[in-house]
Amino acid sequence: MPRVNDPAGMRRRIVAAAGEEFSRRGYRAGSLNAIVAAAGVTKGALFHHFAGKLGLLEAWLDQEVAPALRQHWIEPLAAVDDPVAGLRRLLEAELARVEAAGPEGALRHGCRLANLAADAAGVDEAVRARLAALYAEWRAAVAAALARGKAAGNVHPQVVADDEAAFLVAALAGIATTAKPARDASLWRAAFRAAAAYLDTLRAP
Amino acid sequence: MPRVNDPAGMRRRIVAAAGEEFSRRGYRAGSLNAIVAAAGVTKGALFHHFAGKLGLLEAWLDQEVAPALRQHWIEPLAAVDDPVAGLRRLLEAELARVEAAGPEGALRHGCRLANLAADAAGVDEAVRARLAALYAEWRAAVAAALARGKAAGNVHPQVVADDEAAFLVAALAGIATTAKPARDASLWRAAFRAAAAYLDTLRAP
DNA sequence: CGCTTGACCTACCGACCGGTTGGTAGCACA
DNA sequence: TGTGCTACCAACCGGTCGGTAGGTCAAGCG
């Protein structure tokens, strides 16, 4: 069978395989050999397209993790001025995704961003900074929505948007992480019910 | 210099070094060679006392991680019937510990239990079960305190203790994890302020 | 004292790690 | 059709991994 040059497709396949491997085993323990084997390419090809293991991680972060975060958690908040209702919708959507993915999805792997924070933040300064920036972007989106909610009279005026955003983002990441060892969707549901109740307390009186 | 047999001290030194290494680099990426070098012992001694890397992890979990969790988060709740006040005290104590430990402590390493959940839960079934049990114990302690608070009239009767416990434990673990890449104590303080405000909403009217 | 048992050490194993090498094949353009 | 550049490949590198084999030595016991 003849060889065909397809650099874009090659990059995509490698990043996809790397995402699988990093999700399953983490960055530090993830193996380049396993990635190239799963992608059906050689290590030479990997090193031709990416600057080593760290470059591969950054590509995955930029091309898959960050876009998914923005799509699911940041952009839907961009224009809402009733953040309590908006965030409750996002919780329900996330729960639906988790249950749709089944036991091989988030139930087993937890939150990709939280896993990277636990695993890869100490490896490289640039990666640490990028993870910190992603979390900051997430918090900023939540805080901005809460601020708009206050301005629109939908959120209690005493709510401190930045504090609540830090707490909420931490809780969301923590739910995925603490439920991971139990592998039990009912833990997600319980925590999300409480999260929804907490969101209701932020409403204007 | 003559050799002295001190099996108990040897075990202690090895577990301490393993805890350092697993805290800093995680379980999967942590190296037995680094552990024995830091402890000043040989690998033969390590394998004489522990059943390999997994045995070492279990010893660390049982002898350091679990006792610390119980001391800081479980036992202080054992008898309180005003869990809102009790949990707020625990938050303040945790914040004091984080700030006292400085940038080389929890700020850099996050929550040990959450790190293990992200890193080691997929390695071994027994480890996964033990982590799940530890989280369950933590949640149960919080839920029991909330239930006592309801009985004593200190907690709103509509509060669902199990749901709130799952949410609260997730939030606490998540705060340490999401703040790790930022290495900024002010993030802890912001999230803890919001957590305290959330706890107040659980009070009886 | 001799003997036994467990504590501990030196030296080493095969496997796998991330990364590099020198080269060949595809393909746009002359 | 030839030339040059990029895409890609097979083989291999030094180093480190978790783990083991087989020995020496300390110390309690008769």
Side-chain angles (χ1 to χ4, degrees):
Chain A
M1 53 193 275
R3 202 181 90 192
V4 279
N5 284 358
D6 176 21
M10 172 75 80
R11 285 183 64 96
R12 248 185 292 112
R13 267 181 297 151
I14 294 177
V15 170
E20 265 296 305
E21 175 77 357
F22 292 156
S23 294
R24 205 187 313 265
R25 307 217 298 145
Y27 171 72
R28 296 174 113 128
S31 156
L32 294 187
N33 293 321
I35 291 169
V36 297
V41 303
T42 65
K43 211 180 304 187
L46 189 154
F47 275 82
H48 176 73
H49 288 289
F50 301 94
K53 200 183 187 184
L54 272 172
L56 195 48
L57 174 63
E58 298 194 1
W60 179 51
L61 267 177
D62 290 347
Q63 294 169 30
E64 295 198 358
V65 178
L69 175 69
R70 295 193 181 105
Q71 177 192 344
H72 294 319
W73 292 100
I74 293 178
E75 288 158 8
L77 294 177
V80 305
D81 59 0
D82 185 353
V84 172
L87 285 164
R88 287 190 66 142
R89 275 196 304 273
L90 295 189
L91 290 183
E92 282 161 25
E94 175 68 17
L95 193 57
R97 277 195 301 276
V98 170
E99 296 191 328
E104 288 305 315
L107 268 183
R108 180 176 295 259
H109 297 314
C111 168
R112 289 179 297 188
L113 211 52
N115 289 345
L116 288 174
D119 174 35
V123 174
D124 179 79
E125 174 58 25
V127 169
R128 186 196 66 76
R130 196 167 302 216
L131 291 170
L134 275 176
Y135 273 125
E137 187 180 343
W138 190 0
R139 281 185 216 106
V142 174
L146 287 171
R148 283 194 305 275
K150 280 165 72 173
N154 292 320
V155 167
H156 197 290
Q158 284 184 8
V159 162
V160 183
D162 288 341
D163 292 2
E164 301 291 339
F167 179 64
L168 190 58
V169 166
L172 291 172
I175 288 169
T177 301
T178 58
K180 180 178 177 183
R183 290 183 183 165
D184 183 357
S186 70
L187 255 178
W188 284 74
R189 286 193 289 268
F192 274 17
R193 278 193 300 270
Y198 146 71
L199 284 171
D200 283 335
T201 68
L202 304 181
R203 278 208 182 282
Chain B
M1 53 192 274
R3 202 183 90 194
V4 279
N5 284 358
D6 177 20
M10 173 76 80
R11 286 183 64 97
R12 248 185 292 113
R13 268 181 296 152
I14 294 177
V15 169
E20 265 296 305
E21 175 77 356
F22 292 156
S23 293
R24 203 186 315 265
R25 307 217 298 145
Y27 171 73
R28 296 174 114 129
S31 156
L32 293 189
N33 292 323
I35 290 170
V36 297
V41 303
T42 65
K43 213 189 286 199
L46 189 155
F47 275 83
H48 176 73
H49 288 290
F50 301 94
K53 201 183 187 185
L54 273 173
L56 196 49
L57 174 63
E58 298 194 1
W60 180 51
L61 268 176
D62 290 347
Q63 293 169 31
E64 296 197 359
V65 179
L69 175 69
R70 296 194 180 105
Q71 177 193 344
H72 293 319
W73 291 101
I74 293 178
E75 288 158 8
L77 293 177
V80 305
D81 60 1
D82 184 353
V84 171
L87 285 164
R88 288 190 66 141
R89 276 197 303 273
L90 295 189
L91 290 183
E92 282 161 27
E94 175 69 15
L95 193 56
R97 276 195 301 275
V98 169
E99 297 191 328
E104 288 305 316
L107 268 183
R108 180 175 295 258
H109 297 314
C111 167
R112 288 179 298 189
L113 211 52
N115 289 345
L116 288 174
D119 175 35
V123 174
D124 179 80
E125 174 57 26
V127 169
R128 185 196 66 76
R130 197 167 304 214
L131 291 171
L134 274 177
Y135 273 125
E137 187 182 343
W138 190 359
R139 281 185 215 106
V142 174
L146 288 171
R148 281 194 305 274
K150 282 166 71 173
N154 291 322
V155 167
H156 198 290
Q158 282 183 10
V159 162
V160 183
D162 287 342
D163 291 2
E164 301 292 338
F167 179 63
L168 190 58
V169 166
L172 292 172
I175 289 169
T177 300
T178 58
K180 180 180 178 181
R183 290 183 184 165
D184 183 357
S186 70
L187 254 178
W188 283 74
R189 286 192 289 267
F192 274 18
R193 279 193 301 269
Y198 146 70
L199 284 171
D200 283 335
T201 67
L202 303 181
R203 278 208 182 280

